[in-house]
Amino acid sequence: KLQFLYFIGKGQGQMLRIANALGLRKKAKLGGDQRNLKKSKLDLSKAVHTVGFVCVTVAILIITSTVFTYFRSVFPLLVDKDANHHAWWWVLGVCSWLSFNLMFNYCLVLTTPAGRADVALMTEADLRQAELDRCEPEKRGSLWCKKCEAPRPVRAHHCPLCGYCVLKMDHHCPWVNQCVGHYNHRYFILFLVYLLLSVAFASITISLHFTGTLKSPSLPSMYRSSRVSSSVILCYVVCVALTMVMSLFLLWTSHLVLRNQTTIEFVAQLLIDPRAGYRKNLEATFGKFTTYAELLLPSVVPLADNGHNYANHIPSNAGL
């Protein structure tokens, strides 16, 4: 009987060791899968940021080369300073204003972070709601991020490429190589506005030159060469193409801004109280302003709102 119990105990011990070994192997496999998943996400993030760096470089080259071509090859064709002094200064002033604001806002959207969620700045009500949403992180408008394993403010979303929750995230844009969110959204909108105004102005003035409406009476010989003509035609084609594309894109973006809604919120059917009005919706993106003309002025004044408190955020199907 003792021998029988001994063999049974020995068999159970062996079975227990086998089970422990299988469990350790399973845990090791799961740990390896998680490490591989993290590594793949890190590789993807690096690849996307590399592509973003290339996109930013291409965008800068296109903008600077187009502006240089316009001032060097197109502007002398339009008006003559001696023949029409006022028109020359008017065209020069408009070109300079558009070019400055275009580069100014693009530099700011490149260098201004969208904003990172900070639990310390969240309200007590949002923190309590986040604890309730912890059991339902997939719920629409959830204030709990399952990726960060932490609360997040209203309108913040996790960017898998940046690796953290972005305040009022609109989208991750490769042309600025970062997220567009709370702190740089206004610069992104103004960049689109001045890009459209610049290419539309160039397209119109070059068209008027081709029709003979806007043409300098005295052209230097260098501006009659085929090389310069090719540059003008190339500049014209680029500007017309960008005018058509940016018109549609800016129309859609303006629609979202006037509704105080981001691209992610549009897809998820989340919005701010629609009864707030256009002015309040614009102030949510651009900050406080006195006149609408102020929105187009270059500004580096920081927003008064820290992007962590949006009390009127409601589902779009809430019956309002």
Side-chain angles (χ1 to χ4, degrees), residues 6 13 67 102 104 150 156-157 176 215 221 257 271 293 303 310:
Y6 171 75
V67 171
L102 176 64
F104 176 82
H157 297 277
V176 300
K215 181 179 292 187
S221 58
V257 171
L271 49 84
L303 296 175
Y310 291 96

Side-chain angles (χ1 to χ4, degrees), residues 15-296:
M15 293 179 65
L16 184 60
R17 285 193 294 272
I18 293 173
N20 289 335
L22 291 175
L24 290 174
R25 289 178 183 177
K26 186 176 181 180
K27 289 181 180 178
K29 184 178 179 180
L30 290 175
D33 293 341
Q34 292 178 352
R35 286 193 296 270
N36 292 334
L37 181 61
K38 289 182 180 179
K39 185 176 183 300
S40 62
K41 288 183 178 180
L42 183 61
D43 293 340
L44 177 62
S45 177
K46 289 181 179 179
V48 171
H49 282 288
T50 302
V51 173
F53 176 78
V54 175
C55 290
V56 170
T57 304
V58 171
I60 293 175
L61 289 176
I62 292 176
I63 293 173
T64 54
S65 60
T66 304
V67 171
F68 175 78
T69 302
Y70 187 88
F71 274 99
R72 182 182 182 276
S73 303
V74 177
F75 181 71
L77 302 175
L78 304 178
V79 290
D80 182 70
K81 185 177 181 181
D82 297 328
N84 196 336
H85 183 77
H86 296 288
W88 187 88
W89 280 107
W90 183 85
V91 175
L92 178 62
V94 172
C95 293
S96 301
W97 173 258
L98 294 177
S99 301
F100 169 77
N101 282 278
L102 176 64
M103 298 304 299
F104 176 82
N105 288 288
Y106 189 56
C107 290
L108 284 179
V109 76
L110 287 177
T111 57
T112 305
R116 190 168 185 166
D118 187 355
V119 178
L121 297 177
M122 293 180 61
T123 62
E124 292 293 333
D126 287 345
L127 290 174
R128 288 193 297 269
Q129 184 61 45
E131 288 299 323
L132 296 176
D133 294 340
R134 189 171 186 174
C135 301
E136 298 179 280
E138 299 293 341
K139 185 184 72 174
R140 186 178 60 178
S142 174
L143 298 188
W144 182 265
C145 178
K146 66 176 183 178
K147 302 293 180 62
C148 298
E149 287 295 324
R152 63 184 176 190
V154 177
R155 308 190 76 182
H157 297 277
H158 186 88
C159 177
L161 302 177
C162 296
Y164 56 84
C165 287
V166 178
L167 297 176
K168 206 184 96 171
M169 179 179 175
D170 188 84
H171 67 287
H172 188 97
C173 181
W175 297 105
V176 300
N177 201 20
Q178 67 167 333
C179 283
V180 176
H182 177 69
Y183 287 109
N184 61 2
H185 197 189
R186 56 173 174 167
Y187 300 128
F188 181 76
I189 299 299
L190 288 175
F191 166 69
L192 298 181
V193 169
Y194 278 105
L195 178 59
L196 176 60
L197 292 177
S198 299
V199 294
F201 181 81
S203 301
I204 293 173
T205 52
I206 296 176
S207 298
L208 293 176
H209 172 73
F210 286 159
T211 59
T213 306
L214 195 61
K215 181 179 292 187
S216 176
S218 57
L219 295 177
S221 58
M222 63 173 295
Y223 294 112
R224 299 193 185 95
S225 65
S226 59
R227 177 179 62 85
V228 174
S229 299
S230 300
S231 300
V232 173
I233 293 174
L234 179 60
C235 180
Y236 180 71
V237 171
V238 171
C239 291
V240 170
L242 285 175
T243 300
M244 293 186 292
V245 173
M246 295 310 302
S247 297
L248 297 176
F249 187 51
L250 187 59
L251 182 65
W252 166 250
T253 306
S254 301
H255 170 72
L256 293 180
V257 171
L258 291 175
R259 288 166 56 91
N260 194 9
Q261 190 177 32
T262 64
T263 303
I264 293 178
E265 291 168 348
F266 173 81
V267 175
Q269 295 185 337
L270 293 170
L271 49 84
I272 298 295
D273 189 346
R275 298 166 299 187
Y278 289 152
R279 186 181 182 89
K280 290 291 185 181
N281 291 339
L282 288 172
E283 287 179 349
T285 299
F286 294 92
K288 297 290 184 179
F289 59 89
T290 305
T291 61
Y292 287 100
E294 293 180 19
L295 300 178
L296 297 178

